[in-house]
Amino acid sequence: MEPQIILALALTLTFLGQWLTGRAKRRHRQTLAELESATLQRSLALLRALQKHRGLGAQQDLASSCQRRALARQLDQLWLNWPGPSLQLPALQQQWPQLRRKPADFAAHCQVIEALLTVIEQLEVRLNLRHDPQLQGLGQSCRALEDLARLRGLAVRAANYERCPAGLQAQLRELCRRLAITHPYEPMPGLLRRLQQDLIEAAQPRMTPLDCFALLTPLIEQRWQGLPVPGSTSAT
């Protein structure tokens, strides 16, 4: 075989190998980006459901109990095959069975929610690096929304007492102070005034747990509707 032909074949095989390697790398990046985007979507769904499950945890009426059980079944499915470890993310699903058994455990819910917020921030950074700028600020928005959801959960707990306990008062006052600064527009000021007058500072609560949940849930759901929805991210 002529040396020129041998050289041409060698160059062709080299270029072909480089092209195949590059294509494999691009496919890997694409697959990874799609998995991260899907995990981010699932993390947002988990956060939303866990916040609501926490808010319903201290309610004992039949309707709230039924709603909480339905949410628990939804969370069972969301936690199924959680891909966290494969993406170097924590195995958060291991903590869910305890929350399912103890829905009134506010602190345990907050721990899992805090870990989920960190996961959302990590995935936001990864996807932004892959040129998905629509997600910029998603983690920060979720943390701001968590202030409102935590206020709902604490208010529901406080409404179960004959008078708001001092510890809950302090937490509720601090959340109200922060939300008054970050959300100075209606309906937030009106909602905060009602909570302060009828629950936090009242000698005897004039709001039931159901009242507190119903007062804050529409605004929380409205905030959720305004969050950017991650989609498939193209690798470059």
Side-chain angles (χ1 to χ4, degrees), residues 11-21:
L11 288 173
T12 300
L13 290 173
T14 299
F15 290 142
L16 179 60
Q18 291 175 343
W19 180 80
L20 290 173
T21 300

Side-chain angles (χ1 to χ4, degrees), residues 1 16 31 46 52 56 62 95 104 109 114 119 135 141 161 202:
M1 185 177 292
L16 179 60
T31 300
L46 281 164
K52 201 165 189 178
L56 291 165
L62 180 59
Q95 302 176 56
H109 277 82
E114 177 59 32
V119 165
L135 299 177
S141 297
Y161 293 91

Side-chain angles (χ1 to χ4, degrees), residues 164-185:
C164 183
L168 284 176
Q169 270 188 332
Q171 294 180 70
L172 286 165
R173 285 169 180 160
E174 174 57 21
L175 279 172
C176 287
R177 183 192 68 80
R178 289 212 305 260
L179 288 166
I181 294 172
T182 56
H183 297 75
Y185 40 84

Side-chain angles (χ1 to χ4, degrees), residues 162-164 169 196-206:
E162 293 183 2
R163 182 186 176 102
C164 183
Q169 270 188 332
Q196 288 166 343
Q197 293 171 2
D198 293 349
L199 178 67
I200 303 171
E201 310 298 342
Q204 184 175 359
R206 294 186 290 274

Side-chain angles (χ1 to χ4, degrees), residues 73-181:
R73 291 191 293 270
Q74 178 186 340
L75 282 159
D76 287 340
Q77 294 302 310
L78 287 170
W79 281 124
L80 193 63
N81 299 322
W82 166 252
S86 65
L87 293 175
Q88 297 182 328
L89 299 171
L92 300 178
Q93 79 280 9
Q94 296 175 355
Q95 302 176 56
W96 164 241
Q98 179 183 352
L99 295 184
R100 205 186 200 289
R101 290 192 301 270
K102 299 180 179 179
D105 192 335
F106 186 87
H109 277 82
C110 290
Q111 289 175 0
V112 178
I113 286 171
E114 177 59 32
L116 262 179
L117 288 168
T118 300
V119 165
I120 289 168
E121 290 167 341
Q122 291 173 340
L123 291 171
E124 175 196 338
V125 170
R126 294 184 193 180
L127 290 169
N128 280 335
L129 290 174
R130 293 190 175 89
H131 308 288
D132 195 359
Q134 68 172 355
L135 299 177
Q136 189 70 39
L138 176 62
Q140 183 178 359
S141 297
C142 287
R143 286 194 177 275
L145 200 155
E146 167 60 5
D147 275 350
L148 190 55
R150 186 178 291 234
L151 178 67
R152 174 178 64 185
L154 288 172
V156 167
R157 292 182 72 202
N160 281 300
Y161 293 91
E162 293 183 2
R163 182 186 176 102
C164 183
L168 284 176
Q169 270 188 332
Q171 294 180 70
L172 286 165
R173 285 169 180 160
E174 174 57 21
L175 279 172
C176 287
R177 183 192 68 80
R178 289 212 305 260
L179 288 166
I181 294 172

